[in-house]
Amino acid sequence: DSGVTQTPKHLITATGQRVTLRCSPRSGDLSVYWYQQSLDQGLQFLIQYYNGEERAKGNILERFSAQQFPDLHSELNLSSLELGDSALYFCASSVAGVHNNEQFFGPGTRLTVL
Amino acid sequence: LAKTTQPISMDSYEGQEVNITCSHNNIATNDYITWYQQFPSQGPRFIIQGYKTKVTNEVASLFIPADRKSSTLSLPRVSLSDTAVYYCLVGVPLGSARQLTFGSGTQLTVLP
């Protein structure tokens, strides 16, 4: 158990819909990262927050957005969903905001868009 | 376009040493190289991290040449439970910023 929790574990929805994925980092970790893992694209970095502020942005679509709240939990919002958004979404946390600190990954949320 | 590449798959036998190499020819100057292990339907798990030369911990060693354009993860005496996908993670320059980039992953299969 990494100490990072993600909810829900599974999500099934339809094209055009909007969903919210939630992540609680390990106690004491200030950084939260979001990743997408699909069969054809591998692990893709989406975005990083550090202590409530956006720190780095990766291959995140404009239809996707994220935020980190004062209690340090984070949410990833996916809207106007398409079939290609079906993937595993991982959240990770680390102590500091510097890239490549040891990151602790959650169990992931599996999103299926029908 | 800079890429972070790894062999797609490797087979080994129990008790052997396994070396997996990642090529990252455009790594950001101040970034570390980090390796993760992933089992099916689980999140990646940290193995080891280094900046240059050699780093060793209780489970693996990491070799990084002076130009830092590649790195080699070494797993000593693998067991069946080491069967997993192994990823390298580096930061690459993207304009004035840096972007975290995973390698494509190497499926290691350990045979009895």
Side-chain angles (χ1 to χ4, degrees), chain A residues 53-114:
Chain A
E53 303 216 348
E54 183 182 305
R55 175 59 65 93
K57 187 176 273 193
N59 299 319
I60 188 165
L61 300 173
E62 287 192 8
R63 301 183 284 108
F64 296 0
S65 65
Q67 54 184 325
Q68 186 179 29
F69 296 87
D71 67 352
L72 300 178
H73 91 271
S74 178
E75 293 182 355
L76 179 67
N77 301 296
L78 316 176
S79 62
S80 303
L81 285 168
E82 302 175 359
L83 295 178
D85 298 327
S86 295
L88 259 174
Y89 291 84
F90 288 107
C91 165
S93 72
S94 69
V95 171
V98 177
H99 283 186
N100 289 350
N101 266 27
E102 179 178 351
Q103 295 180 29
F104 295 85
F105 281 76
T109 293
R110 183 173 294 279
L111 173 66
T112 303
V113 182
L114 302 174

Side-chain angles (χ1 to χ4, degrees), chain B residues 3 14 21 38 42 60 68 89 92 97 105:
Chain B
K3 285 195 169 187
E14 280 191 290
T21 296
Q38 186 179 30
Q42 294 185 23
R68 299 191 350 107
L89 173 65
V92 298

